[in-house]
Amino acid sequence: MSIWWSLHLRREAASVPLARRFLLGTMETAGVDPDISFDLSVALSEACANAVEHGGGRRAGEDKEGPGDQGVPQGRWDVWDELPGAASGRYRVTAYLDGEKCRIEVADSGPGFPARCTLRTAAQQHEPQQYPSLTAEDGRGLCLIEQLADHVHFGNRPGSGAVVSFDKVLKWRKDALLMVS
């Protein structure tokens, strides 16, 4: 069984629970274990909240090549091409339930991640990692995504924009209608 969907959302706070509910509904219908569904929905909420808060960079009329962009066409992504001049006001969520794994990707048109962002696998989860201080007002979302998912990748789209992708092995309810064959 495979299920795939993509949402093109405005960078507004109301889009975060919408994406979360869409994922939860899909997973419930498919018969995914509620604990796995909850973990993925929290990770998705954090990724969407980051896209809403940090995901804008270009504004209308800024689709021209800059000094470092020679040869790199602007409007590199279909969602941004569909909405000329609106790139800074949108982000995209894509989810794949394929076989025994769910993969989620959240992409925006913001400034992207610093060069230090890397792929972390389950084996690397035990390595020492720098977390925000206990008194920090923000900065915990990406760490939370890493703790809830099996594999996480923080990257940048060519030009501008961040991409957060993560996956998790699925467990199924005993009464699941769409079990993996």
Side-chain angles (χ1 to χ4, degrees):
M1 178 234 4
S2 294
I3 299 173
W4 173 89
W5 53 260
S6 184
L7 300 173
H8 300 211
L9 301 166
R10 290 185 182 147
R11 281 185 46 237
E12 297 173 355
S15 69
V16 177
L18 174 67
R20 181 179 177 143
R21 287 184 195 127
F22 204 88
L23 178 67
L24 284 169
T26 301
M27 297 184 112
E28 180 180 356
T29 300
V32 175
D33 178 82
D35 291 337
I36 299 294
S37 297
F38 179 78
D39 287 353
L40 285 170
S41 71
V42 171
L44 174 62
S45 295
E46 291 297 334
C48 290
N50 280 340
V52 168
E53 185 174 347
H54 306 291
R58 293 183 290 146
R59 300 277 182 235
E62 290 183 17
D63 286 344
K64 298 177 180 72
E65 290 183 11
D69 294 334
Q70 283 91 8
V72 178
Q74 298 297 314
R76 293 163 283 289
W77 216 31
D78 60 337
V79 64
W80 314 135
D81 291 342
E82 292 169 11
L83 304 161
S88 63
R90 307 244 180 220
Y91 69 103
R92 182 170 81 174
V93 175
T94 305
Y96 307 90
L97 278 78
D98 190 21
E100 296 181 359
K101 186 185 290 187
C102 178
R103 179 169 182 81
I104 298 171
E105 181 176 287
V106 178
D108 63 44
S109 63
F113 289 104
R116 67 165 177 72
C117 292
T118 61
L119 173 69
R120 290 182 56 84
T121 63
Q124 294 169 314
Q125 296 288 340
H126 303 292
E127 295 177 7
Q129 184 177 355
Q130 298 246 334
Y131 292 105
S133 73
L134 294 175
T135 58
E137 292 186 24
D138 58 12
R140 292 182 185 85
L142 298 180
C143 298
L144 187 56
I145 294 168
E146 287 181 325
Q147 296 301 311
L148 294 170
D150 294 331
H151 298 94
V152 179
H153 180 73
F154 305 114
N156 295 320
R157 293 188 310 114
S160 69
V163 179
V164 175
S165 59
F166 52 95
D167 60 57
K168 191 167 184 80
V169 173
L170 298 175
K171 293 180 188 173
W172 300 93
R173 293 188 323 248
K174 291 180 184 176
D175 64 341
L177 297 175
L178 301 174
M179 293 285 292
V180 176
S181 2

